mmCIF file of all heavy atoms in Angstrom:
data_model
loop_
_atom_site.group_PDB
_atom_site.id
_atom_site.type_symbol
_atom_site.label_atom_id
_atom_site.label_comp_id
_atom_site.label_asym_id
_atom_site.label_seq_id
_atom_site.Cartn_x
_atom_site.Cartn_y
_atom_site.Cartn_z
ATOM 1 N N GLU A 126 3.389 -2.032 -194.531
ATOM 2 C CA GLU A 126 2.311 -2.233 -195.585
ATOM 3 C C GLU A 126 1.929 -3.681 -195.848
ATOM 4 O O GLU A 126 0.908 -3.923 -196.531
ATOM 5 C CB GLU A 126 2.801 -1.496 -196.907
ATOM 6 C CG GLU A 126 3.078 -0.058 -196.621
ATOM 7 C CD GLU A 126 3.302 0.732 -197.891
ATOM 8 O OE1 GLU A 126 2.663 0.464 -198.944
ATOM 9 O OE2 GLU A 126 4.000 1.762 -197.815
ATOM 10 N N LEU A 189 5.460 10.994 -200.376
ATOM 11 C CA LEU A 189 4.659 12.124 -199.940
ATOM 12 C C LEU A 189 5.508 13.265 -199.390
ATOM 13 O O LEU A 189 5.387 14.461 -199.955
ATOM 14 C CB LEU A 189 3.599 11.721 -198.911
ATOM 15 C CG LEU A 189 2.697 12.788 -198.384
ATOM 16 C CD1 LEU A 189 1.650 13.149 -199.456
ATOM 17 C CD2 LEU A 189 1.969 12.466 -197.135
ATOM 18 N N PRO A 204 -0.018 17.519 -204.918
ATOM 19 C CA PRO A 204 -1.098 16.660 -205.305
ATOM 20 C C PRO A 204 -1.520 15.705 -204.262
ATOM 21 O O PRO A 204 -0.758 14.789 -203.847
ATOM 22 C CB PRO A 204 -0.516 15.817 -206.484
ATOM 23 C CG PRO A 204 0.990 15.922 -206.290
ATOM 24 C CD PRO A 204 1.295 17.177 -205.526
ATOM 25 N N ARG A 213 -1.200 7.611 -192.033
ATOM 26 C CA ARG A 213 0.113 6.997 -192.063
ATOM 27 C C ARG A 213 0.759 7.282 -190.717
ATOM 28 O O ARG A 213 0.517 8.297 -190.114
ATOM 29 C CB ARG A 213 1.017 7.452 -193.200
ATOM 30 C CG ARG A 213 0.494 7.150 -194.576
ATOM 31 C CD ARG A 213 0.521 5.654 -194.896
ATOM 32 N NE ARG A 213 0.091 5.236 -196.218
ATOM 33 C CZ ARG A 213 -1.191 4.946 -196.484
ATOM 34 N NH1 ARG A 213 -2.139 4.940 -195.659
ATOM 35 N NH2 ARG A 213 -1.491 4.602 -197.781
ATOM 36 N N ASN A 248 -2.950 12.333 -194.223
ATOM 37 C CA ASN A 248 -2.076 13.028 -195.232
ATOM 38 C C ASN A 248 -2.314 14.497 -195.313
ATOM 39 O O ASN A 248 -1.360 15.285 -195.390
ATOM 40 C CB ASN A 248 -2.331 12.400 -196.599
ATOM 41 C CG ASN A 248 -1.818 10.906 -196.650
ATOM 42 O OD1 ASN A 248 -1.034 10.461 -195.833
ATOM 43 N ND2 ASN A 248 -2.386 10.175 -197.577
ATOM 44 N N ARG A 272 -5.160 6.943 -205.696
ATOM 45 C CA ARG A 272 -4.344 5.814 -206.066
ATOM 46 C C ARG A 272 -5.199 4.598 -206.144
ATOM 47 O O ARG A 272 -5.977 4.339 -205.100
ATOM 48 C CB ARG A 272 -3.215 5.702 -204.993
ATOM 49 C CG ARG A 272 -2.410 4.385 -205.040
ATOM 50 C CD ARG A 272 -1.518 4.265 -203.885
ATOM 51 N NE ARG A 272 -0.347 5.201 -203.909
ATOM 52 C CZ ARG A 272 0.526 5.285 -202.885
ATOM 53 N NH1 ARG A 272 0.326 4.765 -201.770
ATOM 54 N NH2 ARG A 272 1.563 6.112 -203.075
ATOM 55 N N HIS A 275 -5.786 2.096 -202.760
ATOM 56 C CA HIS A 275 -5.159 2.900 -201.744
ATOM 57 C C HIS A 275 -5.458 2.404 -200.342
ATOM 58 O O HIS A 275 -6.729 2.417 -199.913
ATOM 59 C CB HIS A 275 -5.652 4.334 -201.923
ATOM 60 C CG HIS A 275 -4.725 5.344 -201.262
ATOM 61 N ND1 HIS A 275 -4.894 6.675 -201.520
ATOM 62 C CD2 HIS A 275 -3.753 5.243 -200.360
ATOM 63 C CE1 HIS A 275 -3.991 7.356 -200.811
ATOM 64 N NE2 HIS A 275 -3.283 6.517 -200.084
HETATM 65 P P1 LIG B 402 3.919 7.391 -200.097
HETATM 66 O O1 LIG B 402 4.918 8.361 -199.632
HETATM 67 O O2 LIG B 402 3.906 6.980 -201.554
HETATM 68 O O3 LIG B 402 4.107 6.132 -199.172
HETATM 69 P P2 LIG B 402 3.128 4.784 -198.978
HETATM 70 O O4 LIG B 402 2.291 4.638 -200.131
HETATM 71 O O5 LIG B 402 4.225 3.731 -198.938
HETATM 72 O O6 LIG B 402 2.460 4.909 -197.706
HETATM 73 O O7 LIG B 402 2.487 7.892 -199.780
HETATM 74 C C1 LIG B 402 2.116 8.281 -198.429
HETATM 75 C C2 LIG B 402 0.710 8.679 -198.476
HETATM 76 O O8 LIG B 402 0.564 9.842 -199.210
HETATM 77 C C3 LIG B 402 -0.220 7.649 -199.139
HETATM 78 O O9 LIG B 402 -1.497 7.637 -198.498
HETATM 79 C C4 LIG B 402 -0.371 8.195 -200.635
HETATM 80 C C5 LIG B 402 -0.382 9.730 -200.275
HETATM 81 N N1 LIG B 402 0.228 10.556 -201.401
HETATM 82 C C6 LIG B 402 -0.478 11.590 -201.910
HETATM 83 O O10 LIG B 402 -1.619 11.958 -201.405
HETATM 84 N N2 LIG B 402 0.078 12.381 -202.902
HETATM 85 C C7 LIG B 402 1.229 12.056 -203.477
HETATM 86 O O11 LIG B 402 1.714 12.780 -204.369
HETATM 87 C C8 LIG B 402 1.978 10.848 -202.972
HETATM 88 C C9 LIG B 402 3.320 10.519 -203.566
HETATM 89 C C10 LIG B 402 1.437 10.199 -201.942
#
Side-chain angles (χ1 to χ4, degrees):
E126 302 196 27
L189 181 74
R213 296 293 182 267
N248 292 339
R272 168 190 284 171
H275 198 169

